[in-house]
Amino acid sequence: MRTSNTLRRAALALLTTGTLALAPTALADTGHHASHDQAWRGAWAASPQSATAPFGPNWSQQGFDDHTVRQVVRVTAAGTRARIELTNRYGTGPLRITGATVARTAEGSAVEPGSVRTLRFGHRPSVTIPAGETFLSDAVNLPVEAFEQLTVTLYLADPTGPATFHSFSSATSYRAAGDHRADLSGAAFRETSSSWYFLSGVEVTGGRDTARRDGIVTFGDSITDGVGSTTDTDNRYPDELAERLAATGRSRAVLNHGIAGNEVVNDTTWAGEKAVARFRKDVLTEKGVSTVILLEGINDIGGSGPTFPGGPTPEVSVNQLIQGHRTLIRQAHAKGLKVVGATLTPIKGSFYDTPVNEAKREAFNAWVRTSGAYDAVVDFDRAVADPADPDRILPAYDSGDHLHPGDAGYTAMAEALDLDEL
């Protein structure tokens, strides 16, 4: 659920007047940052993917040429300054960002008057990001509250080639021909998409929470990504978790690194690199986090079947899936992160439902519950299961495909987490 964009603490109402902090030069996916970055923390995130269109047309494969792209995100951390992260991780050549702005969201693709800030990159209004790399903008003085929506606008004057993007956003992005980066109105933005392009993060600093390093990363596949939730309502389970934390006086940033279709041990053509490879790039580079929730494996189990988009992937045994999770746990612990393991939710009645797949799911869930491999466990399986038929999602929680929860199901998942164990 969204909170009103107008509810901002009075203490953050005045613009900070200090010197703008400089972002580092182009940052590779190694995540090396200057020491002053210790003050920054993640406020919003999306995992990058290579250009693909498994579920219908989007803008990633053709890319952009003299287009302005406007994207709306909701942050879960407050600060007095902000900066954005742009990525060309899967680009085939250099990506030129001709210009960019960030502003508070008004409605749809419109932005609030007086809130538009021109983004600069190493003091310059434009930046060229080499293929395979990521870049942070310079900071702008823009006080933001947790659960406030920000609109990031990119003007791409030159052909970009295939675009690094995040396929399933559960949010509407907007496109206009020509340069409309400073527009207050959304009138020029006549095309829409349900993906995010080049934008992979928003970071904040300043204010009373600057020293906090207790952010949470949710990592997984479509059920973390929010497939089945209502578009433009921020009802994914990580969103609901952030709201629950705030409602109980335990506000923490929650960053979503789910990718629909992602697998733990197999790369795919359309759903990102395998989790054991992308975890270092997506999770271990995040600043200001202390905990990661791992919910992934159902696509490894079901992906070898004929219904998997993009064609079947190699069959994965329960032991291979367990070893993949042990790899993720080791990587997280090596960076000092606490790891919460999650059971896989029901599949009965879905296109993954076979006796073999159900047996694998139950065996893996038994390991999650009893192995002691994680620092804590959350039983999402039992949280959304129908008590009368535990292999099936409760109808009230089902988005309709018997695999992905709907809004109520995602709320139930967030409520199943023990906040004391995060």
Side-chain angles (χ1 to χ4, degrees), residues 82-403:
R83 65 186 184 185
I84 68 166
E85 181 183 83
L86 299 175
T87 183
N88 192 26
R89 184 188 293 181
Y90 301 107
T92 56
L95 167 66
R96 180 168 176 77
I97 307 293
T98 309
T101 60
V102 62
R104 295 192 186 94
T105 306
E107 191 69 33
S109 55
V111 297
E112 289 188 7
S115 73
V116 179
R117 304 289 185 270
T118 297
L119 291 168
R120 299 181 72 84
F121 306 88
H123 293 300
R124 298 178 179 87
S126 62
V127 65
T128 298
I129 306 173
E133 295 194 359
T134 294
F135 204 100
L136 285 165
S137 75
D138 298 349
V140 293
N141 294 324
L142 183 66
V144 295
E145 282 292 320
F147 307 116
E148 189 166 42
Q149 289 183 304
L150 298 179
T151 296
V152 176
T153 306
L154 308 177
Y155 176 48
L156 306 157
D158 305 319
T160 65
T164 297
F165 83 134
H166 182 86
S167 177
F168 197 92
S169 62
S170 296
T172 304
S173 297
Y174 306 87
R175 183 167 74 171
D179 184 1
H180 296 276
R181 71 189 105 162
D183 287 19
L184 298 179
S185 164
F189 294 88
R190 298 177 181 176
E191 298 177 85
T192 60
S193 171
S194 295
S195 302
W196 288 306
Y197 302 86
F198 304 122
L199 181 63
S200 56
V202 176
E203 297 179 359
V204 296
T205 191
R208 65 187 182 188
D209 294 334
T210 292
R212 295 186 66 166
R213 321 300 299 164
D214 61 355
I216 299 167
V217 175
T218 57
F219 185 82
D221 49 41
S222 56
I223 296 178
T224 298
D225 214 2
V227 173
S229 66
T230 303
T231 301
D232 292 327
T233 59
D234 297 306
N235 282 329
R236 313 162 191 87
Y237 106 74
D239 300 314
E240 298 292 345
L241 172 59
E243 292 178 15
R244 182 177 169 222
L245 285 161
T248 55
R250 307 184 188 190
S251 296
R252 295 167 71 175
V254 179
L255 307 178
N256 190 332
H257 275 295
I259 296 181
N262 197 236
E263 297 190 23
V264 176
V265 300
N266 286 321
D267 289 323
T268 64
T269 58
W270 63 276
E273 294 179 68
K274 57 191 175 185
V276 292
R278 75 179 181 92
F279 191 79
R280 295 184 186 275
K281 307 171 187 179
D282 292 345
V283 177
L284 302 187
T285 57
E286 287 290 0
K287 290 179 284 298
V289 301
S290 63
T291 303
V292 58
I293 303 170
L294 300 182
L295 170 62
E296 186 154 4
I298 202 64
N299 297 314
D300 296 73
I301 291 171
S304 61
T307 60
F308 197 60
T313 52
E315 186 170 355
V316 175
S317 69
V318 174
N319 185 60
Q320 286 175 302
L321 185 55
I322 288 170
Q323 293 310 311
H325 269 249
R326 288 193 183 278
T327 297
L328 297 175
I329 294 166
R330 284 195 299 271
Q331 291 179 12
H333 283 168
K335 291 286 287 188
L337 298 181
K338 185 175 188 177
V339 184
V340 179
T343 53
L344 303 178
T345 51
I347 61 172
K348 187 173 181 179
S350 77
F351 54 80
Y352 281 172
D353 182 12
T354 70
V356 170
N357 288 349
E358 178 59 23
K360 286 183 177 181
R361 186 185 75 90
E362 291 181 6
F364 178 74
N365 281 353
W367 176 81
V368 172
R369 294 182 182 113
T370 63
S371 67
Y374 308 95
D375 300 299
V377 170
V378 57
D379 204 333
F380 285 151
D381 175 29
R382 291 171 179 162
V384 300
D386 186 344
D389 190 359
D391 294 339
R392 184 185 296 272
I393 295 179
L394 185 72
Y397 292 161
D398 191 348
S399 68
D401 66 3
H402 311 303
L403 179 65

Side-chain angles (χ1 to χ4, degrees), residues 46-80:
S47 291
Q49 299 172 245
S50 58
T52 185
F55 302 115
N58 61 55
W59 303 327
S60 68
Q61 292 173 312
Q62 184 176 356
F64 305 92
D65 184 4
D66 191 28
H67 286 116
T68 302
V69 182
R70 183 161 274 185
Q71 304 177 81
V72 178
V73 303
R74 188 178 77 157
V75 297
T76 56
T80 57

